[in-house]
């Protein structure tokens, strides 16, 4: 449904987006995850026809973003980071206005349907100027959905809204995947893990990794990541003992125990158990720790900055 090949955007010698390539299949929720300035918004603006790429190509629903720009726009719903609204219009008037612009048949009925789907039908007579930030985000989502596009592109849809509204917007995004292909950007790690079928991690305009959260954990966790709890030893002595074991890369205190990270392909469980017992201490707990998306994200950024 979305097919991006070597997409780039440069300003002079600065590459805001640098040869991005990825795909999003029908019914898939894909997250663009990266820090501020990573190139997420620029990528979305190119895909929605707001700006041309400097190089590369992209196709949405089979149409080229440059050669078939109007056909692409008919098939895309776009929610920018800042929702453009007319504050003196009512909620219903604004969405019906967009429905008419989009050539939607039976615009009034479709307006009511989409307002109900984003929980704004009861506010249909309210002036937009009187809506909270969270309600404006839902209004922007209704605008993006009013023509029932196969592809929905959302730029930071939960930024600047309160926690309850964040939950509601995330649920809406998750539900969109039942009928639409969804591409949305975020710099919030937990959000991507909760909502996405697949994650694309970018920084400085380049893709660092992509895959499902589970796949990324499997591919990028370099070795064992263990939680170890020892009794009979001080914290300093326990940390020193674990750090001296061959293959251990890092030991960090965690509560009353330690997080231990191993080198690639190192299997430390037997060595840890043996060394603890030989030192005269008692091994209270030894278990694997799953690598979170946050671990992956910070690890990748750290590797890139250190490169």
């Amino acid at each position: 449904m979305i097919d991006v090949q070597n997409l780039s955007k440069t300003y002079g010698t600065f590459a805001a987006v640098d040869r991005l390539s990825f795909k999003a299949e029908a019914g898939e929720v894909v997250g663009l995850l990266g820090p501020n300035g990573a190139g997420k918004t620029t990528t979305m603006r190119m895909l929605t026809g707001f700006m041309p790429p400097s190089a590369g190509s992209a196709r949405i629903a089979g149409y080229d973003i440059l050669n078939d720009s109007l056909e692409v726009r008919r098939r895309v719903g776009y929610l920018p980071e800042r929702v453009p609204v007319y504050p003196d219009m009512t909620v219903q008037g604004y969405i019906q206005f967009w429905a008419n612009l989009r050539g939607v048949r039976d615009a009034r009925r479709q307006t009511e349907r989409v307002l109900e789907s984003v929980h704004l039908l009861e506010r249909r007579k309210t002036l937009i100027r009187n809506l909270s930030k969270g309600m404006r985000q839902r209004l922007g989502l209704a605008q993006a959905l009013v023509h029932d596009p196969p592809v929905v592109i959302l730029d930071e849809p939960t930024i600047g809204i309160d926690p309850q509204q964040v939950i509601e917007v995330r649920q809406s995004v998750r539900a969109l995947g039942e009928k639409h292909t969804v591409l949305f950007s975020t710099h919030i790690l937990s959000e991507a893990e909760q909502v996405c079928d697949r994650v694309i991690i970018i920084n400085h305009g380049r893709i660092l990794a992509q895959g499902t959260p589970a796949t990324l954990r499997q591919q990028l966790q370099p070795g064992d990541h263990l939680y170890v709890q020892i009794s009979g030893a001080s914290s300093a002595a326990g940390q020193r003992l674990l750090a001296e074991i061959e293959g251990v890369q890092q030991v960090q205190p965690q509560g009353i125990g330690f997080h231990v990270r191993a080198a690639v392909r190192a299997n430390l469980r037997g060595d840890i158990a043996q060394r603890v017992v030989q030192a005269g201490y008692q091994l209270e707990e030894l278990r694997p720790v799953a690598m979170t998306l946050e671990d992956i994200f910070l690890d990748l950024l750290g590797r890139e900055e250190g490169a």
Side-chain angles (χ1 to χ4, degrees):
M1 192 60 72
I2 301 175
D3 186 359
V4 177
Q5 298 295 327
N6 295 313
L7 197 66
S8 299
K9 184 64 179 180
T10 57
Y11 300 93
T13 58
F14 173 69
V17 174
D18 187 8
R19 293 166 293 176
L20 291 190
S21 295
F22 65 88
K23 293 183 179 182
E25 304 297 339
E28 194 174 27
V29 179
V30 177
L32 279 181
L33 175 63
N36 292 329
K40 305 185 298 294
T41 295
T42 302
T43 299
M44 291 185 158
R45 287 177 177 171
M46 287 189 286
L47 294 179
T48 53
F50 276 67
M51 64 171 62
S54 301
S57 64
R59 301 181 73 84
I60 292 181
Y63 293 94
D64 185 88
I65 60 171
L66 279 177
N67 298 327
D68 307 301
S69 179
L70 289 178
E71 293 300 326
V72 167
R73 295 180 197 204
R74 289 188 180 103
R75 289 161 176 81
V76 171
Y78 178 44
L79 173 63
E81 184 177 341
R82 291 185 178 86
V83 180
V85 295
Y86 298 104
D88 292 320
M89 295 182 76
T90 65
V91 167
Q92 182 169 355
Y94 176 74
I95 298 302
Q96 193 162 327
F97 167 72
W98 273 101
N100 290 327
L101 284 179
R102 290 287 195 174
V104 174
R105 294 181 180 178
D106 199 353
R108 183 181 181 86
R109 182 177 179 182
Q110 175 65 0
T111 295
E112 291 182 353
R113 188 194 69 79
V114 77
L115 287 177
E116 185 174 14
S117 73
V118 299
H119 309 293
L120 282 177
L121 188 59
E122 292 183 357
R123 295 274 187 162
R124 60 186 180 276
K125 302 297 184 184
T126 303
L127 290 177
I128 293 174
R129 67 168 64 254
N130 295 325
L131 295 179
S132 67
K133 176 69 183 294
M135 288 184 180
R136 289 192 184 200
Q137 288 295 94
R138 282 189 269 161
L139 183 69
L141 186 57
Q143 173 271 130
L145 296 173
V146 72
H147 57 302
D148 197 24
V151 176
V152 181
I153 296 179
L154 312 173
D155 192 0
E156 300 271 10
T158 60
I159 193 167
I161 59 178
D162 67 48
Q164 181 58 41
Q165 292 168 336
V166 166
I167 293 171
E168 292 173 359
V169 172
R170 287 177 183 172
Q171 290 172 342
S172 297
V173 172
R174 182 73 258 178
L176 287 176
E178 297 175 5
K179 296 182 179 179
H180 309 268
T181 299
V182 182
L183 178 67
F184 85 103
S185 68
T186 182
H187 62 273
I188 303 171
L189 300 160
S190 60
E191 186 163 83
E193 193 150 28
Q194 290 172 27
V195 175
C196 297
D197 298 312
R198 195 156 50 85
V199 176
I200 300 168
I201 301 176
I202 68 173
N203 193 34
H204 300 311
R206 292 183 288 112
I207 292 179
L208 303 184
Q210 58 179 309
T212 66
T215 299
L216 288 175
R217 280 193 292 269
Q218 184 177 5
Q219 291 178 347
L220 300 173
Q221 188 165 351
D224 274 345
H225 188 190
L226 305 170
Y227 175 77
V228 181
Q229 184 181 331
I230 302 170
S231 65
S234 67
S235 180
Q239 186 169 1
R240 186 167 54 251
L241 181 147
L242 294 171
E244 291 172 352
I245 296 174
E246 184 178 355
V248 169
Q249 283 188 325
Q250 186 181 57
V251 181
Q252 292 182 320
Q254 181 68 34
I256 59 174
F258 305 94
H259 272 173
V260 178
R261 293 189 66 173
V264 177
R265 291 182 297 277
N267 187 343
L268 299 179
R269 300 181 205 191
D271 291 343
I272 289 173
Q274 184 177 12
R275 288 291 294 274
V276 169
V277 172
Q278 286 177 347
Y281 306 135
Q282 186 170 344
L283 184 62
E284 298 286 350
E285 189 172 356
L286 175 60
R287 58 178 169 81
V289 177
M291 197 175 194
T292 67
L293 191 57
E294 182 171 6
D295 294 328
I296 293 168
F297 182 75
L298 295 176
D299 205 37
L300 285 171
L301 293 187
R303 288 185 212 171
E304 187 181 51
E305 296 301 328

